Amino acid sequence: KSTPWSSPQVVHPPEGLPLLSCALVFPPRAQVETMSPAIALAFLPLVVTLLVRYRHYFRLLARTVLLRSLRDCLSGLQIEERAFSYVLTHALPGDPSHILATLDHWSSHCEYLSHMGPAKGQILLRLVEEKAPACVLELGTYCGYSTLLIARALPPGGRLLTVERDPRTAAVAEKLIRLAGFDENTVELIVGSSEEVIRRLRTQHQLSRADLVLLAHQPRCYLRDLQLLEAHALLPAGATVLADHVLFPGAPRFLQYVKNCGRYRCRLHHTGLPDFPAIKDGIAQLTYAGPG
């Protein structure tokens, strides 16, 4: 005896609806299955075009996310720690230039480090030598690459305060800085968030003014931290502010602010990412005119 739900059901077309229309509304199973490859083939040129056009970004993604995560899991070390191990066995202690070259070589031939790199480094080095700042503030120490660039170009008696949020990364940078031969009187590394550190620079670290500031941490924090520096009167008139990665990944709100507020003269140095010159980036160079 058949149950109501197991008995065959016959679906009749609505009254007045042509049979051809029913065929269009309810296509046969075989027809649906044969349409899928056709749709896939239609999208194939678009997919190929995207892969070719953005191949550099896909390579960057693979090296900075996929391969890095795999090596982190296999080694139990962060990429900065692996880079420092390489420096220990290949670089000359007390020679900042050789240590920087070793990091560049490791990033190009071993693992992509996401550091500043030689092209941007030359811009930074030239400005430090030109401005001869008595005190430099760096937000975003990372592995210590840009820290060494600044420290080696400081004038006699110059001081560099560098801030790193991540304690584990800061520990690696501290070792690299001391390996290069810079003591705490020249380079002071502060562990903490940039927002918190800026508020206590004057009271806890005796920083009354920063003649040159490098923003190299998180582009989304650039605007907030620049306004904090202004609010705490840490930028003297004529101070230079350098902001990395303003085009990739980008800092549009920061750039809009410095261009429209009327307190900065702006210049943009166009560069590419280290080992990925096709990916365009830039360093913003700002000259502070004062609070008025």
Side-chain angles (χ1 to χ4, degrees):
K1 183 178 181 180
S2 299
T3 58
W5 53 82
S6 62
S7 59
Q9 301 292 319
V10 179
V11 179
H12 297 281
E15 186 176 354
L17 187 65
L19 292 177
L20 180 59
S21 301
C22 293
L24 294 176
V25 176
F26 307 107
R29 179 183 179 88
Q31 183 179 351
V32 173
E33 291 180 350
T34 57
M35 288 172 60
S36 298
I39 295 175
L41 288 174
F43 280 98
L44 184 59
L46 175 62
V47 173
V48 172
T49 301
L50 292 175
L51 288 174
V52 172
R53 177 174 298 180
Y54 298 106
R55 63 189 182 279
H56 306 291
Y57 296 92
F58 289 121
R59 285 182 55 232
L60 179 64
L61 176 66
R63 293 186 65 179
T64 57
V65 178
L66 302 180
L67 292 178
R68 183 178 298 180
S69 299
L70 178 62
R71 286 166 175 156
D72 288 351
C73 293
L74 293 176
S75 67
L77 300 173
Q78 291 183 345
I79 184 173
E80 301 83 15
E81 295 167 329
R82 297 194 293 274
F84 181 71
S85 297
Y86 184 86
V87 168
L88 278 178
T89 56
H90 292 81
L92 298 174
D95 188 340
S97 298
H98 195 262
I99 292 174
L100 290 169
T102 303
L103 284 172
D104 288 330
H105 183 273
W106 188 81
S107 180
S108 297
H109 296 85
C110 300
E111 296 183 55
Y112 186 69
L113 193 55
S114 303
H115 64 315
M116 177 172 278
K120 292 180 180 179
Q122 286 302 312
I123 298 173
L124 174 61
L125 186 63
R126 184 178 69 248
L127 284 171
V128 175
E129 292 174 343
E130 176 187 323
K131 304 295 181 181
C135 190
V136 179
L137 174 64
E138 178 187 29
L139 302 181
T141 314
Y142 188 45
C143 65
Y145 185 94
S146 54
T147 308
L148 296 189
L149 279 170
I150 297 171
R152 63 184 282 217
L154 283 175
R159 182 186 179 207
L160 167 60
L161 279 74
T162 181
V163 181
E164 173 56 44
R165 182 186 187 95
D166 181 61
R168 192 169 172 180
T169 304
V172 174
E174 180 88 35
K175 296 175 184 177
L176 192 78
I177 293 165
R178 306 310 168 211
L179 182 69
F182 299 108
D183 58 23
E184 294 183 356
N185 294 323
T186 303
V187 180
E188 179 182 354
L189 195 154
I190 306 168
V191 181
S193 70
S194 56
E195 182 179 14
E196 296 172 355
V197 171
I198 290 173
R199 299 180 190 276
R200 50 187 169 89
L201 280 174
R202 190 182 297 274
T203 57
Q204 294 188 19
H205 301 280
Q206 293 74 52
L207 178 67
S208 59
R209 53 183 283 168
D211 303 305
L212 189 146
V213 177
L214 173 63
L215 305 178
H217 49 322
Q218 297 172 315
R220 61 183 174 83
C221 299
Y222 287 1
L223 178 56
R224 179 202 67 194
D225 290 345
L226 182 66
Q227 291 174 333
L228 278 174
L229 292 170
E230 294 173 354
H232 287 78
L234 293 170
L235 292 178
T240 299
V241 178
L242 294 176
D244 196 8
H245 298 302
V246 294
L247 298 184
F248 183 85
R253 293 178 60 246
F254 170 81
L255 290 177
Q256 183 180 17
Y257 172 79
V258 298
K259 289 178 181 178
N260 297 333
C261 71
R263 293 190 290 275
Y264 295 92
R265 296 197 309 273
C266 305
R267 179 184 177 186
L268 185 61
H269 300 272
H270 291 273
T271 64
L273 292 185
D275 301 321
F276 293 91
I279 299 179
K280 302 304 179 184
D281 194 12
I283 296 180
Q285 176 184 343
L286 317 175
T287 302
Y288 186 53

